[in-house]
Amino acid sequence: QALWLQPTCSDLALAWPRRAARELGGSLRNAMAPAKANPGGASNEAAERPLRDGEVVPLNRADIPSDNNSSSTPSGQGRQTRIAGIADRLNDSILTWFKKRNGDTLQGALAFVPWVLQQAYFEGSLDNGQIVIHRGTGAVVFSDASGFTALTERLAEKSNGAELLSQCLTGFFTPLIDLINNYRGDVIKFSGDALMIYFQSVDDTISPKYNCVVPPHGTYGLPDLGPMATAVLRASACCIEIHKRLHMFDTGVDGVFFCLHIGVGCGNINILQVGGETPPETHVPRCEYLIAGPPLEQISDAEPLAKNGETCLSPQAWEHVKDCVIEGRPLESKPEFHLLLRMDESKYTFPTIKHAAMENDNRIEKRFKLSELNVIRRYIPSAVFKQIECGTLVYVNEMRNISCIFINGAGLDVMSSKGATTAQELMVSVQKACYQHEGTLNKFLIDDKGMLFLLVFGLPPLVHTDDPTRAVLACFDMVKIFKRLDLVGRFGVTTGRSYCGVCGSARRMEYTVLGDCVNLSARLMGSCTPQGILCDEETKNRSSTEVIFNALAPIRVKGKEGQIPVFQPVKKDGVQEIGITAEKKKLRFPWYDHPFAGNASLVAGGVANANQLNVQQLCSVKTWAGIVRMQELLGGGFDKSLHRGEQTITLDTKTSLKAPAGSPFLEGGVLVLESQTGMGKVELAEHLVTYCAKCLQILPVFGTMGPRPGDSVRLAVELLRSSLGVLRLLKPETPTDDFQALQKLAPQELSSRLPLLRQALKDTKVTERQDEILDCSLEVTIALLSSLVKQTAVLMVLQFEYGTSLFPKTLEDQGIFWKAVSKLTELVKTEMQSGKAAGHKPLVMMIICREVEEQNQAVKIAREKGSFVHLSGLTEENILEYMSNYLIVPDTMIPQALRQFVAKVTLGNPRHIRETIDQLLEHNLQVHVGANKQPKNIEVKDIDKINLASWQHTAMVGGTVCLLESLDPLEAAVLKMSTCFHGTFTLPDLAASTCSRWADATHFDFLRLFKAIRKLVESNIIEAIVDEEQEGDEGKREDSVIDDKKEAFGKTQYFQTRNMLIRAVGGAMVLEAQKKSVKRQALIDRALWRELPGRMEDLAKKRNAQHIPWYYEQAFRRM
């Protein structure tokens, strides 16, 4: 049996506690050591490469793929030599563990790939770069079901709705797919509640399994019909039996029944493999396969003609079986199409056809083995594959809020060679656009509606609080793709609660989304104009201010009684002024236009007033480390009056102040503000820029990127516009038109490159030549700044935000930003070294980001000069003062219970503090005001009964949900189980529910669980309890029953989930029945550990003692 090593267990050098590490880890480290042999003296680079996350390598020599291109290279041979030697150095118990685990993974993964894909692999057309991987003939069946939407709507609001819906789907699809397989059908695609089935025409008479007696159609004495007619006959017989067995299928839910109507066509078929881009959450490329050919055009006409319980055959399919079946009622609208009533039982019956098909079925011979597990992964979403690996696929089914995009494409014939190439280019482009916004491409198919894409935003692990906005922004990018390829695209975007999970049976399934939201998206797509986008009301309401929605006339769609409101999204235009405005000489900050840079909820007056209020409230906290450090660097205290209303910037050197010695604001240099979102870096930066401009006469130049991908052009334009804003303040005669000003002010050697910037200045959404635009703008900006510092001090403010993105390092923008920083740093270094001697004014660079690039020269300068500021959470004293400022009450009036609650929930994050107070003010907190309109007291109600998980619309809770959804399945399971314990817990407590030591679990199972716990500890999601804490922890007396009994592996390590927010959100993801089960299993495990070993020892002693049965003993006494 084949054996593969999974990466989750390849990292066995981690700190497994006590004796287990010595016994288990030591031997496995030796087993995993790279092989010394290296045939041909080749480099060991590939042979010694560590396993990447999710990669599998074969352990048996027989399972090493011989047809892999990499194996022909010396490095590939060296790696295979190393791999082949691993199995020889593992003992039987380890091999058995891997065999069982990977065998289960393979069994689950096989259900996600059709037979024809496996056939293509063994024929060598899957991995040689071909787009068309199969060319053949046969019958194609499109089976559409009714009743799924009604069922989904009824179960959507139930707490166990996903579980019930999954049971209904399994109960319906299991017999359906079994029937299809028995007739040798191959389920190619699940299109929502519909199936696309391929009955390949194969000449069974040349098969080794053919008995040469009964023809392939199964009726003895009748001549062979030929491969194509036999395929259509099998498809027809399959449809008849499906209707007989599954028509009016009772779901058992509120009188909902499933019905099928089916269309059949036949002809030439191509199977295409397209895609190959890598999603942000994994390293495994994702591919899609689709079926194309004339039969799909036939079924697009045939399927709508069939009513529930009927099958309609196209003229081409009817021609092959007209003498084999009985026709149903005539179709007056299209008489060339024919309804199928039953088989002509005087010639053929569906049992004999099915039996013959099963007898001659040899597809099992070309089935993927463990050595092809890496190939299978291309076609399975990474989150689903991880659930298969962990044996938790049942938990992938759930009801969740998602935003989905249906795209209809026209103008492409995929049957032609050019069309196939264009389909590949289209798929790759759509994948890139989708992955840039961290969405999921769920399907690419051709069905009765034409060429369709289904993209979903909000599927794990890519869950964000702004998924509706991401979906709409992705549509804008994809419209450009369709225009570039000269294709017609129509886009429908909806948001709502839908079923997300596997659909099918154990033999064939797909991960899909079902529900009213998904159906409405398809309807909006069908009602859309070419290259147009239509959105529903929920998407409009939940999107950010980055998008403007124009209301259109309500429309009627299938499945809805009345008219529904629809909206056309338009991307908000970029502001034409940034920095110092031309007319009013006011300051305009770039983060006023980007809502994910840490801004709070809007107040009267818009974003600017909201930000100014936040600055006043937060920077007034006198002991906050952030404002204290800024005051040291600026040489002046915080003044609220600087942040009231619009501030006019004037050049008045008489009233300007001076920064202290050693400050970058006196001598030039770099200042870095680093923190997580919401920690106050934007508020601090706004105060710093305002103080510099008003008090120190240091004028600002801005350049920001994010939070959306592809913002390098905006960075370029902001640098140019804000530099020109400073020049216009110094020289009012500077042209107001930006491009004309650049032509006048830019150096002569750059004049030939200026036309490149013309379009960018008009439209920051330019997608062509972005790198060239940024490089040109940086050169022009450096030239402008070199001129400016001769007249005035300049503060460059560079900000990078990746908003709610979970995988920022997989995006290109971060590298682009730091590359731009490096170029500008060269100018700063030059000015620091020789600017003062040349009579230049200080040039300061301030970098605002979530995570710095440590190797960047600017970061090194800031650390060397002591101007690197990392912002962490507020202290308890700071929290009290900030709450006082926010509520506008004396700090002595704030109740102790309220202080403690806010401190525990927010961990000192200023943005979270604001959101928490806003939520409490709605139901649990009231500030009573006296007759003089001064606060009298604060009333707090039911603060201990607050359900934090219900605050999902806040960045605080929404961000926590996104964090937990991004965890690997085993880590997520550990976290959810940990919330079931009020006090501390141990590794065996968690293992009791998944891999109990009393239920044949191995050290490997415990090792995987421990690794998941350790990752959560490193991520500060759960905490490891030190011995001193544990001795005084009441949780031990409550939860632990091990006491002082010595563990086999040494002293027991305790853990606890103390983060109140994570505990509340994670606990809300666990059903009450599951919580009880986890606690019950842990208590049983503890009781067994305390009592069972002693009892087993007593039993062993009793068995080893010599025993004489009583009747022999009596006999001996009588003797």
Side-chain angles (χ1 to χ4, degrees), residues 417-430:
S417 58
K418 182 181 178 182
T421 304
T422 306
Q424 166 66 5
E425 185 179 355
L426 174 63
M427 177 64 175
V428 169
S429 301
V430 170

Side-chain angles (χ1 to χ4, degrees), residues 599-874:
N599 297 339
S601 301
L602 296 185
V603 297
V607 177
N609 281 4
N611 267 69
Q612 286 188 343
L613 188 59
N614 290 341
V615 173
Q616 295 175 36
Q617 293 166 343
L618 181 58
C619 295
S620 294
V621 178
K622 299 180 179 61
T623 57
W624 178 34
I627 193 61
V628 169
R629 182 57 182 148
M630 286 304 104
Q631 289 174 163
E632 292 173 354
L633 293 173
L634 295 171
F638 176 74
D639 184 0
K640 285 185 178 181
S641 63
L642 288 175
H643 304 281
R644 289 181 183 146
E646 294 182 332
Q647 297 293 325
T648 303
I649 306 302
T650 58
L651 295 174
D652 187 358
T653 55
K654 296 180 180 179
T655 59
S656 64
L657 304 177
K658 189 177 181 181
S663 168
F665 299 103
L666 180 66
E667 304 169 355
V670 179
L671 170 65
V672 175
L673 290 180
E674 179 196 56
S675 79
Q676 292 299 310
T677 301
M679 285 294 184
K681 60 179 181 289
V682 172
E683 289 84 351
L684 210 55
E686 184 163 333
H687 165 63
L688 188 147
V689 172
T690 305
Y691 186 92
C692 285
K694 291 288 292 182
C695 303
L696 301 181
Q697 299 292 296
I698 303 177
L699 304 181
V701 170
F702 293 100
T704 64
M705 285 185 67
R708 303 302 178 194
D711 269 348
S712 61
V713 174
R714 197 186 82 218
L715 171 66
V717 171
E718 286 184 358
L719 285 170
L720 293 173
R721 282 190 174 142
S722 55
S723 298
L724 292 174
V726 176
L727 278 166
R728 291 187 182 105
L729 180 67
L730 299 173
K731 298 180 179 179
E733 67 275 11
T734 303
T736 56
D737 181 83
D738 291 332
F739 186 71
Q740 292 178 8
L742 289 178
Q743 287 180 312
K744 180 179 179 181
L745 298 171
Q748 187 64 33
E749 62 270 17
L750 295 176
S751 59
S752 61
R753 302 186 63 187
L754 290 181
L756 187 63
L757 303 177
R758 183 192 295 270
Q759 184 60 34
L761 289 168
K762 291 181 179 179
D763 180 14
T764 59
K765 298 182 284 242
V766 173
T767 57
E768 294 81 13
R769 305 176 70 181
Q770 289 188 348
D771 293 342
E772 295 179 51
I773 291 173
L774 180 59
D775 289 341
C776 180
S777 72
L778 288 174
E779 292 184 30
V780 174
T781 301
I782 289 172
L784 294 177
L785 291 175
S786 299
S787 172
L788 281 174
V789 293
K790 297 176 183 178
Q791 306 170 63
T792 182
V794 177
L795 170 62
M796 275 192 295
V797 182
L798 304 177
Q799 182 190 25
F800 178 75
E801 278 286 347
Y802 48 84
T804 57
S805 295
L806 298 169
F807 301 92
K809 294 187 185 297
T810 62
L811 304 178
E812 299 177 353
D813 288 1
Q814 201 168 25
I816 293 172
F817 173 79
W818 288 106
K819 184 179 177 181
V821 168
S822 298
K823 290 185 177 181
L824 294 170
T825 302
E826 295 301 319
L827 176 62
V828 174
K829 287 173 61 179
T830 301
E831 291 296 324
M832 289 174 64
Q833 294 167 1
S834 57
K836 190 173 183 179
H840 294 179
K841 301 296 177 67
L843 175 62
V844 187
M845 175 191 290
M846 178 168 65
I847 302 171
I848 311 169
C849 61
R850 194 188 297 188
E851 294 173 348
V852 299
E853 186 182 80
E854 289 293 347
Q855 301 305 314
N856 192 278
Q857 191 63 34
V859 177
K860 291 180 180 179
I861 293 173
R863 289 195 182 278
E864 290 172 4
K865 300 293 184 179
S867 53
F868 185 99
V869 180
H870 175 81
L871 300 177
S872 55
L874 304 180

